[in-house]
Amino acid sequence: MSEAVAKQGATPWLRLAIWSLSAVVTVVFCILFVDRAVATWSHDALHRPHWAVAITKLADARVLEGIAAAILVAASLAKLTGRRIGAAWRIAIAASFATLLAMVAIILLKYGFGRLWPETWVQNNPSWIGSHVYGFLPLHGGAGYESFPSGHTARFSAPFAVLWQRLPRLRLVWAVPPLIMAFALVAADYHFVGDCLAGIYVAIGCAAFAMQYV
């Protein structure tokens, strides 16, 4: 019996190890070898296209937070009135919970890493495009040091990460919107590639945590 339990418990830990290792390897590779080249190319070749800027607005924090909160309130009211919480409701609750978790996680991670932005946005902040400065200043704080991970990517991808797991037959459909969002953020010079990949990993982690309880 103990051996069976041990084998069952190994799978989640193994998945966590693979997820963590892949996140570190992929993101670090981008930071070292990809981010600066892609940011420079995007700035010089694409010139912050209007379509990219428009797409990024779909991940507005206030909108996604409002939708997630409304779903959780509606689910709570349904539960209080004795209505059955079906599979669709559980997916919506998990997606909302994951989205809100991602928002909290991003705030902490941005402060912890303190990465400079690709472009100069606020208070003449140093940046790769604006002043050819690149790097991390952990625990620095301030709006000019919040490029990593991408909050837009994390909060937008979190519900799709839940859908990926709960409705696996449509995984190709669920993968497309986060990838489009990440591409738009890079095309608009809002984020580095590594920022967006890290945001997707954060979303996956928050979705996995949410689904443990919903």
Side-chain angles (χ1 to χ4, degrees):
M1 179 68 71
S2 60
E3 291 182 1
V5 173
K7 288 181 180 179
Q8 290 178 357
T11 301
W13 287 108
L14 180 59
R15 289 178 179 176
L16 176 62
I18 293 173
W19 173 80
S20 301
L21 181 61
S22 65
V24 171
V25 171
T26 305
V27 173
V28 169
F29 179 83
C30 287
I31 291 171
L32 294 177
F33 304 110
V34 177
D35 286 353
R36 282 169 287 189
V38 172
T40 299
W41 172 83
S42 175
H43 178 267
D44 294 344
L46 300 181
H47 310 293
R48 195 173 304 139
H50 294 298
W51 61 262
V53 175
I55 289 174
T56 64
K57 294 180 180 179
L58 296 174
D60 183 270
R62 293 167 296 182
V63 174
L64 295 182
E65 181 181 15
I67 294 173
I71 290 173
L72 293 179
V73 170
S76 298
L77 292 175
K79 186 69 174 179
L80 289 173
T81 56
R83 295 184 181 180
R84 181 177 175 273
I85 302 298
W89 266 111
R90 289 196 296 272
I91 292 173
I93 293 169
S96 301
F97 186 23
T99 301
L100 296 177
L101 279 177
M103 291 181 176
V104 174
I106 285 296
I107 292 173
L108 300 175
L109 291 169
K110 282 179 177 289
Y111 178 75
F113 284 100
R115 189 181 198 186
L116 301 173
W117 297 94
E119 183 63 278
T120 299
W121 303 114
V122 293
Q123 299 175 356
N124 199 32
N125 63 281
S127 68
W128 172 245
I129 299 300
S131 49
H132 221 61
V133 178
Y134 180 82
F136 293 79
L137 292 172
L139 306 180
H140 184 283
Y145 303 85
E146 296 181 347
S147 184
F148 183 93
S150 167
H152 280 68
T153 308
R155 59 180 173 260
F156 186 79
S157 301
F160 290 103
V162 171
L163 292 169
W164 170 282
Q165 187 63 32
R166 292 288 173 87
L167 299 173
R169 292 184 179 180
L170 297 174
R171 281 183 171 173
L172 181 60
V173 175
W174 311 137
V176 171
L179 293 177
I180 292 176
M181 178 59 66
F183 182 78
L185 289 165
V186 173
D189 291 328
Y190 289 160
H191 277 289
F192 293 108
V193 174
D195 300 341
C196 295
L197 287 176
I200 290 175
Y201 275 105
V202 170
I204 293 171
C206 291
F209 183 85
M211 287 185 291
Q212 291 295 316
Y213 300 96
V214 180

